[in-house]
Amino acid sequence: MLQVSFIRNNTEKVLSGLYKRNFLKKNLINEILCLDKKKKKTQIQLNNLLEQSNNFSKEIGKNLNKKKDVNLLYNESVILKKKIKEIKNKLNDITNILIDKLIQIPNIPSEYVSQSSSEIIYQEIDFKYEDIMLPHWELSKKFELFELSNKITTTGFPVYIGLCAKLQRSLIQFFLDKNIQSGYFEYYLPYLVNSISAYSTGQLPDKENQMYQIKEDNLYLIPTGEVPLLNFYRDKIFLYNELPIKATTHTSCFRREAGSYGSNVKGLNRVHQFEKVEIIQITTYENSYVALDDMVLHIKNILKMLKLPFRILRLCGVKLGFTAEITYDFEVYAAGQKKWLEVSSVSNCNTFQSYRLKLRYRTKDNNIKYCHTLNGSALALPRILVALLENNQMIKYIKIPEVLIPYTGFNQIKLKSN
């Protein structure tokens, strides 16, 4: 969430950033500034009344010591306290309305982000595939890899079978091992979070209609491991030398994907439950872009190990997520579908999340500042799985990348013998 002071001191920058995002509710900024002035004026009024009340209390005390009549002073004090209560309620109402306006404003894009055209900043271009290569849903029929039956739950909850299930499990372990080797500390976290946690990382209220909710307990199934992982550090004040924090987790993720349709959701391209290995960093403000480069390079190296064709895009303002200041998307090429599939988004959120999380650190000169938070997938399934299946298919088997063989224990998935 943006701080009011930032909006007040950088109004033109905020409006320019919202224009980059094609954000239509720009009138909210003026409303926020008006409410901020109203809040300040009311706070001053309240402070004056509290001072008067304090003076009344002192005067009553003095008169009682001198055994003077205090009834008149007491009655005036009662009237004053009633007015103080009214002003406090008014201030509370203004504050709540102000917060309601603020949480609708997305993060302001970085100066490096363009308005309407994402930029390809890196691409592995050495790939040529035959037209006969099958999409993964056809490969599944041929090699018995997975089912998308709604018999157990409903559509969008895949069942992985046999060697394909082990391949997915191997990928998860491979990703975790690579993250840990790069200095990320592992956590195993709950898949359910409370509304405060979802709010603190920016999923609520922005993504409420995309989240599965257990209404009886006011809990949400996590849409990404970033939510419980960052909330583990909520309300914490770090020492300067404790940063950066580098953490990783594997979770199942749950998204309703309301409104999704067409070829983008066919097969395993978009499902309601999927596995993801997440990485986050918590840094000081001066080191957040160093951390961003570090995360991008880390994911780039993992994809190179898997020998998958991929590209990196710097997203334009229109495509940025609600909490992100800047995002790099990693896309792998799926040969059977002849299309690019997103497998990771690496984002720097600046102080946008830490303001809600109350996540701060002490500077070298002992001042308190808000941390910068970053997150990314390293990596997301099943799209990585899809790319591996489609890009490594042969007529009678599917090859397993060399780096995964120690994890899988097999080097190919063969046709089932009749």
Side-chain angles (χ1 to χ4, degrees), residues 188-193 220-223 228 249-254 273 275:
Y188 198 86
L189 297 159
Y191 293 178
L192 289 165
V193 293
Y220 293 85
L221 285 164
I222 59 170
T249 188
H250 156 247
T251 64
S252 291
C253 303
F254 304 87
Q273 178 181 337
E275 305 304 300

Side-chain angles (χ1 to χ4, degrees), residues 53-265:
S53 179
N54 187 48
N55 290 336
F56 266 119
S57 297
K58 288 179 180 178
E59 193 64 28
I60 290 170
K62 287 178 183 178
N63 286 333
L64 284 173
N65 289 335
K66 295 177 181 178
K67 298 182 179 180
K68 291 183 179 181
D69 184 17
V70 295
N71 284 333
L72 183 60
L73 285 172
Y74 180 77
N75 289 337
E76 289 179 1
S77 176
V78 169
I79 293 170
L80 188 58
K81 286 180 179 178
K82 184 178 179 182
K83 194 170 183 180
I84 287 171
K85 185 177 180 180
E86 290 173 357
I87 297 299
K88 280 184 175 179
N89 290 336
K90 181 181 177 181
L91 183 62
N92 188 55
D93 290 342
I94 293 170
T95 301
N96 289 336
I97 295 169
L98 180 57
I99 291 172
D100 184 61
K101 303 285 184 186
L102 282 168
I103 62 177
Q104 297 179 56
I105 306 296
N107 203 350
I108 302 306
S110 159
E111 61 184 301
Y112 305 111
V113 173
S114 65
Q115 181 184 351
S116 57
S117 179
S118 297
E119 304 168 70
I120 298 173
I121 63 168
Y122 179 87
Q123 181 167 314
E124 292 275 355
I125 59 174
D126 186 23
F127 60 92
K128 293 180 181 178
Y129 297 111
E130 303 294 332
D131 289 339
I132 58 172
M133 298 191 87
L134 301 174
H136 64 280
W137 53 87
E138 294 295 337
L139 289 173
S140 181
K141 294 175 186 176
K142 185 176 178 180
F143 292 94
E144 298 181 36
L145 302 172
F146 62 86
E147 288 188 11
L148 288 169
S149 169
N150 61 5
K151 181 166 57 176
I152 302 173
T153 51
T154 183
T155 55
F157 293 85
V159 175
Y160 301 95
I161 300 169
L163 294 183
C164 186
K166 189 169 185 181
L167 175 58
Q168 167 143 296
R169 182 158 45 87
S170 299
L171 279 165
I172 292 166
Q173 190 61 57
F174 172 69
F175 296 151
L176 283 171
D177 285 352
K178 293 305 167 189
N179 295 346
I180 293 165
Q181 288 167 18
S182 292
Y184 290 89
F185 189 78
E186 184 182 4
Y187 290 85
Y188 198 86
L189 297 159
Y191 293 178
L192 289 165
V193 293
N194 55 33
S195 57
I196 296 171
S197 294
Y199 168 82
S200 294
T201 47
Q203 277 67 40
L204 291 180
D206 180 60
K207 296 288 188 297
E208 185 167 15
N209 66 339
Q210 293 290 349
M211 296 174 70
Y212 287 99
Q213 184 179 11
I214 301 173
K215 293 184 178 179
E216 294 84 354
D217 302 303
N218 195 24
L219 294 173
Y220 293 85
L221 285 164
I222 59 170
T224 169
E226 165 201 350
V227 179
L229 192 51
L230 277 173
N231 272 282
F232 179 79
Y233 298 100
R234 192 172 73 223
D235 298 321
K236 187 168 178 62
I237 300 177
F238 293 101
L239 298 177
Y240 185 86
N241 60 8
E242 290 179 308
L243 298 177
I245 295 294
K246 298 174 70 174
T248 187
T249 188
H250 156 247
T251 64
S252 291
C253 303
F254 304 87
R255 298 180 189 176
R256 294 182 64 241
E257 299 292 0
S260 299
Y261 60 91
S263 62
N264 287 334
V265 303

Side-chain angles (χ1 to χ4, degrees), residues 2-11 13-14 107-108:
L2 297 180
Q3 297 180 55
V4 179
S5 58
F6 177 82
I7 296 174
R8 188 192 318 119
N9 298 329
N10 302 275
T11 305
K13 180 180 179 179
V14 170
N107 203 350
I108 302 306

Side-chain angles (χ1 to χ4, degrees), residues 276-307:
K276 186 150 72 80
V277 177
E278 187 81 0
I279 55 175
I280 62 110
Q281 288 204 37
I282 302 169
T283 76
T284 60
Y285 80 96
E286 66 265 31
N287 290 323
S288 68
Y289 272 77
V290 175
L292 181 65
D293 290 342
D294 174 68
M295 292 171 75
V296 168
L297 180 61
H298 174 65
I299 294 166
K300 182 178 177 181
N301 288 337
I302 291 177
L303 288 169
K304 281 180 171 289
M305 290 179 201
L306 294 172
K307 296 183 178 178

